[in-house]
Amino acid sequence: MPKITPRILANRKKKDGKLEIMLALAHNGTTRYIKSGIFIDSADELAEGVVVGRKDARMLNLNLKRIVSDMHGRIADIEYAHALTCSELALKLRTHGIEDNPTLSVVFAEYMEVSSMKPASTELSMQLIKSATDFLGADFNLQRLSLRDIMRYDAYLRQRKNKPATIASKVSLVSKLFTYAHKLGYIQCDISPFSGYRPPEIMVRESWLSTDEIIRLRDLELPKGMASTIRDYIILSYYLGGINMVDLLKVDFATCRQTKMLKYRRTKTEGQRKVNKYVEFGIPDEAWPIIDRLVTSDGYFGTSYQRQNNMHYYFAQGIGALRKASGLPQLVYYSARKSFAQHAFQLGISTGIIDYILGHKLNRGGNTLYTYIIVTPDMATDAVRKVLDNLK
C-alpha cells in the first residue's frame, strides 16, 4: 500500500515566508510530492508529520488527516494502483475529479505534468496561463468554453496592447488545453469553439540579408564596443551555418580547436526522434579570428550569467546602434540563420543538406528517402564552404 506522509520542503518557501505542507507519496521505491494547501510559518511547526506549537494546530491536523484519508480512499478505488509508477499515481491524486469539473487551472496542471517541456518553455507557459486565468478565472470550466469567450479574451488582450504574436500565443495555450481535455474525454463537443476563431495576422519580418549586405556588415569598420561585438556574433553565426544563440553558447570551442569540427545538438529539437542527432561539420577558416576574439578562458562565449540569462538583453541593448551604422534596419541575430539558408538554397545546395546544417528534423517516418541515405559531416562542410566562397 502506498504511504503518504506530511513533510516540509525548505525550498518551497513562499514569498511571505510561509511553508506549504507537502504530502510525500512513497510508492514502488519512489517518492513524489503533492500539495496539501495547508501552510505553516516554520519547519519547526511540523514534527513527525503532525502540526505542533500553533493555536490552530488541532484544526490543521484534522484537515491533514482528512486529506490523507481521502487520498488513501482514492488509491483503494484504483484497481491497478500497484501497476502505476509513483509519478502516475501522484498525477491521478492531484487531478482527482477532473472528469467532472475540468477547470482551466486543473487541466493546465495536468497538461504541464505530462508534458516534457524545457525550463524556458515551462516558464513561458506559466506566464501565458496567468493571462488566461486573470480573464476567464482559474475555476473556469472548459466544458463551457464558447466562441464568444474566445472572442472576448482576444478583445481583452488587444485592449491591453498585446502584440499580435503575443495574442496568438496566449489564445493558443487555451486551445491546446481544450484539445488536451477533449482527447482525454474530460470535455464532450462535436465542434471546437476555436473552429470559428481567426487569430490576429502576424507580420513576418523580412530579416534575411543579401550576400552584398552580409559582406557590408562583415567589412563594416566599427570602434571596439557593443555594436562591434554583436556584429561579430551575427557574422560568426552565418559562418557556422546559422547556429542559434542558445546552441552557440553551449559549444566548447577548446574542444573544437582540437578537432577543427563543430558538433552540437540543436536545443530546439534535441528531445525529438530524428535521424540527425548532431549537427557536425568543419569550422571554416574565416570563423577562427572571431572565435579567438569572443571566446573566454574556459572555451565558451559570454559570461556564465550571459549564457544562462542575459545574452538576449545584451543584444537588445546594442542592436539599434549596429542597425544604424550598417544601414540594415531589418538586422537581428536571426538574420544570420535566415540568410545562410537562403544563400545556400540559391546556390543549389540540397535542401536535405541545408536542413542538416540548420539542425532541422530529418525524419525517416516522414520521408522515405531518408531510409536509404544520410547527410554526412563532409557533405555539410563542403556546403558551408560553398556558401562562404560566394562572399569573396
Side-chain angles (χ1 to χ4, degrees), residues 76-111:
D77 290 338
I78 303 174
E79 295 181 5
Y80 52 90
H82 64 281
L84 297 176
T85 65
C86 192
S87 295
E88 289 169 339
L89 183 57
L91 179 59
K92 281 195 166 292
L93 293 176
R94 289 191 192 106
T95 59
H96 177 70
I98 189 172
E99 298 90 345
D100 301 321
N101 188 26
T103 64
L104 184 61
S105 59
V106 173
V107 172
F108 175 74
E110 179 176 322
Y111 176 78

Side-chain angles (χ1 to χ4, degrees), residues 27-211:
H27 176 59
N28 286 342
T30 309
T31 301
R32 291 291 180 267
Y33 293 91
I34 303 171
K35 294 180 178 181
S36 71
I38 298 174
F39 294 86
I40 56 179
D41 295 320
S42 74
D44 295 334
E45 294 177 352
L46 187 73
E48 298 183 359
V50 178
V51 179
V52 296
R54 293 176 59 99
K55 292 181 179 180
D56 57 354
R58 182 173 179 277
M59 181 188 69
L60 295 183
N61 283 321
L62 286 173
N63 285 340
L64 269 177
K65 185 176 180 180
R66 176 184 56 77
I67 294 170
V68 172
S69 177
D70 181 54
M71 285 188 175
H72 278 305
R74 293 182 219 162
I75 293 171
D77 290 338
I78 303 174
E79 295 181 5
Y80 52 90
H82 64 281
L84 297 176
T85 65
C86 192
S87 295
E88 289 169 339
L89 183 57
L91 179 59
K92 281 195 166 292
L93 293 176
R94 289 191 192 106
T95 59
H96 177 70
I98 189 172
E99 298 90 345
D100 301 321
N101 188 26
T103 64
L104 184 61
S105 59
V106 173
V107 172
F108 175 74
E110 179 176 322
Y111 176 78
M112 296 299 290
E113 181 80 22
V114 301
S115 299
S116 299
M117 288 190 185
K118 295 168 188 165
S121 297
T122 298
E123 184 178 349
L124 176 60
S125 295
M126 297 300 290
Q127 294 172 2
L128 297 178
I129 194 61
K130 184 180 184 305
S131 179
T133 54
D134 284 347
F135 179 74
L136 294 169
D139 295 329
F140 180 84
N141 190 320
L142 287 174
Q143 179 67 67
R144 301 193 344 256
L145 187 67
S146 66
L147 177 60
R148 181 173 178 273
D149 294 320
I150 299 165
M151 297 298 291
R152 287 177 56 240
Y153 184 39
D154 180 286
Y156 166 84
L157 296 172
R158 292 173 191 266
Q159 288 170 3
R160 278 153 182 75
K161 308 299 183 184
N162 282 247
K163 294 180 180 179
T166 303
I167 295 173
S169 295
K170 290 181 176 180
V171 175
S172 176
L173 177 61
V174 179
S175 176
K176 288 177 182 177
L177 297 178
F178 184 90
T179 301
Y180 172 81
H182 181 246
K183 286 182 176 180
L184 268 67
Y186 303 156
I187 291 172
Q188 305 300 321
C189 74
D190 295 324
I191 301 175
S192 169
F194 289 91
S195 61
Y197 172 67
R198 188 171 185 175
E201 184 177 353
I202 301 172
M203 300 299 293
V204 179
R205 187 174 187 179
E206 290 293 342
S207 59
W208 72 279
L209 309 175
S210 67
T211 52

Side-chain angles (χ1 to χ4, degrees), residues 217-234:
L217 182 64
R218 179 196 66 187
D219 298 340
L220 183 65
E221 293 187 9
L222 293 167
K224 187 175 180 180
M226 187 178 288
S228 175
T229 300
I230 291 174
R231 184 271 307 276
D232 282 350
Y233 271 114
I234 294 173

